[in-house]
Amino acid sequence: MPDPFPPTPPPPAGEPLRMVDVQRAVAAELDRIAPVIDELGALFEDAGHELALVGGPVRDAMLGRVSNDLDFTTSARPEQTDRILKSWGDAWWDMGRAFGTIGCRKGDWVVEVTTYRSEAYDPESRKPAVEYGATLAGDLGRRDFTVNAMAVRLPGRALEDPFGGLVDLAHQVLRTPGRPEDSFSDDPLRMMRAARFAAQLGFTVDPGVVAAMTDMADRISIVSAERVRDELVKTICAPYPRLGLTLLVDTGIADRVLPELPALRLERDEHHRHKDVYEHTLTVLEQAVAQEAERFEGRPDFVSRFAALMHDVGKPRTRRFVDDGSVTFHHHDVVGAKMTRKRMQALRFSGDEIDAVTQLVELHLRFHGYGTGEWTDSAVRRYVRDAGDQLTRLHVLTRADCTTRNQRKAERLRRAYDDLEARIDRLSQEEELASIRPDLDGNQIMEILGIPPGREVGEAYRMLLELRLDNGPMSQEDAASALREWWAARS
């Protein structure tokens, strides 16, 4: 999947922008991208067409961000754009031609040029109908939010801001160019984009937009699962995922696209003997994000974030009240893994992503049997074996899940997991835990026992693997002796 993270971190959420800083940032960014915008602007002008830098690149320029991916809009039709870009670029593509978009690469720059357009959904259709527009103002008016409805005309570099996007950007507010009801009726996915931009930019959402999202939440059902999935991934992988997810839950949209999340808002018992599972989950997500600098070189990791979001979704179905007033959630890890798999399949995630997330959800409680380090080396080996290539992400999820206001308990849990990781590192150096396997392979098993390929070879292999997990590495002589002893007892 494409990286949904912005090129540079956004400004602190809620901190207004100064106009002088915006003007300075835009001037600097336009100068940086001048080799592209000046050349393309001149080429389109010479051909008798309008061209404007538009949308995200304009918004990001005002926020002081840089990117080599540039979006343009034009009065030219796709076939005319295609001819111009082929005379200028190094490589070309037209996968978006049906939507009026032609793309090209020029050195390190990636450019996409789209014909002025308007698009709307048929009430029963999952795909937008695209019609070409006649003016830049008309094109900007059909865009999702005012902060994305600004353009810079080329080659003159004149700013076009017919809907007050610059003011909204300065105040960090998301509004639609027209009535939000009309915007969301035309393209219901824009309701999820509101959550995504809130999460990416740290912006607040205009109350009228929130009200329209709440009233029209059912409209999201006509959007394809793949488009919903992509917006959800971008929201979860943004710098402020809590903002976007909270908006989806509060407006009821999450009930339609990720119902397991709002279901976590369980009623707390009168004595508060169990955590607020919904708030706990969002905290676990934030604590998983906080570990990315160390674990993933600062890049967002969707699998670990989504596992954090889904790790407790089995709790509502497994909640039981005990006679003493306490609450239990027995086997919520197993139930939650099954629910997670079903939801990710419905959202058309890849098999690898589904397997990775569900494995983490199912394993997220395993550490809590560790206590103060009573696990044997055999148990540590099994922990590593069961985690497989998700071990680093399991470290992230387990540490993130240790949420408690009791500082002494929190410190005890942290030290216990430090100890477990240290033991894993030690055993890994001694025994190559990451690729743990029996001390004899299938060919050696068949040779020692004098048997052909078949079920017995697999049984012997699994027996030797369990022996390896229990005792650590063995010499081939000892392994062969154990194999013969097992075979004799089995016979």
Side-chain angles (χ1 to χ4, degrees), residues 192-242:
M192 291 198 67
R193 286 193 196 128
R196 187 238 294 185
F197 285 121
Q200 286 182 335
L201 303 172
F203 284 13
T204 59
V205 181
D206 179 78
V209 172
V210 175
M213 291 172 65
T214 304
D215 292 341
M216 302 177 68
D218 280 337
R219 183 84 169 136
I220 198 68
S221 62
I222 74 164
V223 181
S224 70
E226 291 83 358
R227 298 184 76 209
V228 168
R229 174 202 64 206
D230 291 346
E231 287 300 322
L232 190 61
V233 169
K234 292 174 184 178
T235 300
I236 291 169
C237 288
Y240 309 107
R242 179 190 281 261

Side-chain angles (χ1 to χ4, degrees), residues 226-265:
E226 291 83 358
R227 298 184 76 209
V228 168
R229 174 202 64 206
D230 291 346
E231 287 300 322
L232 190 61
V233 169
K234 292 174 184 178
T235 300
I236 291 169
C237 288
Y240 309 107
R242 179 190 281 261
L243 291 179
L245 293 168
T246 299
L247 179 63
L248 292 177
V249 170
D250 290 346
T251 57
I253 293 175
D255 289 316
R256 281 78 173 175
V257 300
L258 192 66
E260 295 79 7
L261 182 59
L264 294 175
R265 294 194 294 190

Side-chain angles (χ1 to χ4, degrees), residues 4 6 10-11 13 55-57 59-60 63 65 71 143-149 169 172-176 184 189-205 213 231-232 234-236 238-241 243-245 247-248:
R59 179 200 69 221
D60 288 345
L63 292 173
R65 302 174 179 180
D71 295 330
R143 293 179 180 266
D144 48 14
F145 301 103
T146 60
V147 296
N148 296 327
L169 192 74
Q172 300 192 7
V173 175
L174 290 174
R175 279 192 312 111
T176 54
F184 298 155
L189 192 67
R190 290 173 178 169
M191 295 187 288
M192 291 198 67
R193 286 193 196 128
R196 187 238 294 185
F197 285 121
Q200 286 182 335
L201 303 172
F203 284 13
T204 59
V205 181
M213 291 172 65
E231 287 300 322
L232 190 61
K234 292 174 184 178
T235 300
I236 291 169
Y240 309 107
L243 291 179
L245 293 168
L247 179 63
L248 292 177

Side-chain angles (χ1 to χ4, degrees), residues 20 101 176 199 336:
V20 64
T101 301
T176 54

Side-chain angles (χ1 to χ4, degrees), residues 196-457:
R196 187 238 294 185
F197 285 121
Q200 286 182 335
L201 303 172
F203 284 13
T204 59
V205 181
D206 179 78
V209 172
V210 175
M213 291 172 65
T214 304
D215 292 341
M216 302 177 68
D218 280 337
R219 183 84 169 136
I220 198 68
S221 62
I222 74 164
V223 181
S224 70
E226 291 83 358
R227 298 184 76 209
V228 168
R229 174 202 64 206
D230 291 346
E231 287 300 322
L232 190 61
V233 169
K234 292 174 184 178
T235 300
I236 291 169
C237 288
Y240 309 107
R242 179 190 281 261
L243 291 179
L245 293 168
T246 299
L247 179 63
L248 292 177
V249 170
D250 290 346
T251 57
I253 293 175
D255 289 316
R256 281 78 173 175
V257 300
L258 192 66
E260 295 79 7
L261 182 59
L264 294 175
R265 294 194 294 190
L266 303 172
E267 294 181 6
R268 296 182 68 179
D269 63 284
E270 60 179 334
H271 300 294
H272 300 282
R273 287 196 173 94
H274 72 273
K275 296 178 182 178
D276 182 324
V277 184
Y278 173 69
E279 287 298 325
H280 163 74
T281 294
L282 294 179
T283 299
V284 172
L285 172 59
E286 290 178 322
Q287 293 187 170
V289 172
Q291 297 180 61
E292 288 175 345
E294 176 185 358
R295 303 284 188 175
F296 306 113
E297 298 181 347
R299 297 184 65 80
D301 184 72
F302 170 74
V303 169
S304 60
R305 290 189 183 202
F306 199 57
L309 193 64
M310 302 295 284
H311 78 284
D312 273 348
V313 296
K315 281 191 170 180
R317 292 190 183 180
T318 59
R319 183 172 62 160
R320 300 290 183 272
F321 293 97
V322 185
D323 291 340
D324 64 3
S326 62
V327 182
T328 66
F329 303 98
H330 293 314
H331 307 301
H332 77 269
D333 47 345
V334 177
V335 172
K338 292 178 180 178
M339 294 172 62
T340 298
R341 180 174 295 277
K342 184 176 180 181
R343 177 54 51 197
M344 294 185 75
Q345 288 172 340
L347 289 170
R348 306 290 195 271
F349 280 96
S350 70
D352 288 345
E353 289 172 313
I354 294 172
D355 290 343
V357 174
T358 54
Q359 180 183 8
L360 291 168
V361 172
E362 188 166 357
L363 291 176
H364 82 273
L365 290 180
R366 184 72 66 85
F367 162 71
H368 294 284
Y370 189 71
T372 56
E374 295 89 351
W375 278 8
T376 62
D377 284 351
S378 172
V380 175
R381 293 186 191 102
R382 282 179 165 77
Y383 188 81
V384 174
R385 189 270 308 271
D386 292 345
D389 59 3
Q390 300 304 315
L391 182 61
T392 296
R393 286 168 169 152
L394 184 57
H395 291 333
V396 170
L397 176 58
T398 303
R399 287 185 180 277
D401 193 29
C402 294
T403 62
T404 175
R405 295 180 181 179
N406 185 323
Q407 292 302 312
R408 295 178 64 181
K409 181 180 179 181
E411 179 62 20
R412 185 170 66 252
L413 289 170
R414 185 190 64 78
R415 286 198 306 268
Y417 207 83
D418 286 345
D419 179 68
L420 176 57
E421 282 205 65
R423 290 180 65 187
I424 290 173
D425 289 341
R426 176 178 58 79
L427 288 172
S428 295
Q429 293 174 11
E430 295 173 356
E431 305 178 12
E432 299 183 0
L433 287 187
S435 56
I436 198 166
R437 58 179 59 86
D439 298 289
L440 300 173
D441 61 25
N443 289 327
Q444 291 170 311
I445 291 171
M446 289 187 289
E447 181 180 349
I448 291 170
L449 298 182
I451 59 175
R455 178 172 52 84
E456 291 87 355
V457 178

